[in-house]
Amino acid sequence: MMPPKIEGKPSDEERKAFTAARLELQGWILRDFHKTMTPTVKAVGIFLLESVNSETLFCYPSYRTICETISIGKEKTVQRAIAALVARGWLYAWRTSRTDTYNYLFLKNEEKVAQIADYLDAKRDAREEDRKRRDWTFMTTRENDSGRQMSTRERTKMSTKSMNGTHEVFLGIEGGEFSIASNPYAMASCGEDLDSPYEVPIDADEAEKVLDLICNGHSVHHLLRQTLKDFLLHGTLTPIRAMKMLEGRVAA
């Protein structure tokens, strides 16, 4: 027998619906590839989502609380992140007076959701065409040169791309230099094209192992790591994007 519903309190079904809607919205925010939606902006958005009250649907953490919880150094950084979420139509923010903290209400922006869905479909189609083209090139090479044990374009366990080539240092992290050649997974996975996505792992366990190699020993906040994992599982994480996201984490 179900307990009586307390007046003004959400039922179990309403709480489940709320949780499902929150997870769905979090997924769309993570997949928003607009240039203003940096890892820091998404981390702030996820924290605010986790702070939403299931009864009122509002949340109102202070800038200081956000900074201390997700390890952001400056309140200005949080303020800019919230402004980006508002500008993208994910969040509505207001306060009753200049001394009060802001109240936040999340919005499901159907227009943005449709744009992101179309973008993901286009990327998926492009990856499929790229795979077909690489498979065709591989088969042609093997047919024309049957003496080879493995062509330069043959797919390996780690990648579908060539493992040959010289890689240059392309950005610095924490005052040092990050070289593609110093990261075995990056070198094996990206070949000569830093904008080509990593191969999609077969499951979440393999994705975690791949992320360990991509992060290459750097200490990464769990929210940023989750974002990297989400991109990786959806086939949109490239070596250059991964390094830019890590650089953005350090800057924040």
Side-chain angles (χ1 to χ4, degrees):
M1 180 176 178
M2 294 295 293
K5 183 178 183 299
I6 301 175
E7 187 66 29
K9 297 287 185 180
S11 64
D12 289 341
E13 290 75 14
E14 289 171 334
R15 290 185 185 278
K16 290 178 181 178
F18 166 78
T19 300
R22 177 161 59 184
L23 290 174
E24 180 185 6
L25 183 56
Q26 175 179 304
W28 288 118
I29 290 175
L30 286 174
R31 290 169 177 80
D32 190 342
F33 297 114
H34 192 269
K35 63 182 180 180
T36 61
M37 295 294 291
T38 65
T40 299
V41 173
K42 293 179 180 181
V44 171
I46 292 171
F47 174 75
L48 290 177
L49 266 174
E50 291 177 347
S51 303
V52 174
N53 186 294
S54 62
E55 297 177 21
T56 65
L57 301 183
F58 294 135
C59 64
Y60 37 85
S62 66
Y63 291 158
R64 181 176 180 180
T65 298
I66 298 172
C67 286
E68 292 177 349
T69 304
I70 59 177
S71 302
I72 293 179
K74 297 179 180 179
E75 293 186 8
K76 281 290 186 181
T77 303
V78 173
Q79 188 176 2
R80 288 194 295 268
I82 291 173
L85 291 166
V86 171
R88 287 294 289 165
W90 298 117
L91 193 67
Y92 176 65
W94 80 98
R95 60 182 177 180
T96 56
S97 70
R98 293 178 60 87
T99 58
D100 290 338
T101 59
Y102 276 94
N103 294 278
Y104 304 106
L105 177 65
F106 276 92
L107 310 169
K108 185 176 180 181
N109 191 320
E110 296 292 350
E111 181 181 355
K112 292 293 186 298
V113 167
Q115 291 174 356
I116 295 170
D118 290 343
Y119 174 82
L120 293 175
D121 288 342
K123 293 289 287 186
R124 191 177 299 111
D125 292 343
R127 289 197 304 273
E128 183 62 27
E129 289 298 321
D130 188 51
R131 289 192 185 100
K132 290 179 180 179
R133 184 170 59 254
R134 289 199 300 268
D135 288 343
W136 180 85
T137 303
F138 162 62
M139 293 300 297
T140 302
T141 302
R142 291 299 294 268
E143 289 172 0
N144 292 337
D145 190 0
S146 59
R148 281 187 175 181
Q149 296 297 316
M150 174 174 160
S151 75
T152 58
R153 298 299 295 178
E154 182 173 357
R155 289 194 290 179
T156 69
K157 182 178 180 181
M158 291 296 294
S159 175
T160 59
K161 302 178 181 61
S162 170
M163 294 180 67
N164 298 327
T166 303
H167 305 283
E168 302 294 333
V169 174
F170 64 92
L171 60 85
I173 294 181
E174 293 180 337
E177 297 296 334
F178 182 93
S179 172
I180 284 291
S182 69
N183 186 325
Y185 179 77
M187 182 171 65
S189 300
C190 71
E192 298 175 357
D193 187 358
L194 302 180
D195 290 317
S196 293
Y198 291 110
E199 187 173 0
V200 178
I202 59 175
D203 54 32
D205 290 336
E206 182 182 344
E208 290 294 338
K209 296 177 182 178
V210 170
L211 284 175
D212 289 340
L213 294 170
I214 292 175
C215 295
N216 198 27
H218 292 283
S219 178
V220 180
H221 191 277
H222 72 95
L223 292 177
L224 176 55
R225 185 180 177 94
Q226 180 59 44
T227 302
L228 287 165
K229 182 178 178 180
D230 186 73
F231 288 166
L232 180 64
L233 289 172
H234 285 83
T236 57
L237 184 64
T238 64
I240 189 67
R241 169 173 282 171
M243 292 304 102
K244 285 183 177 180
M245 290 173 69
L246 290 171
E247 185 183 45
R249 174 189 63 81
V250 174

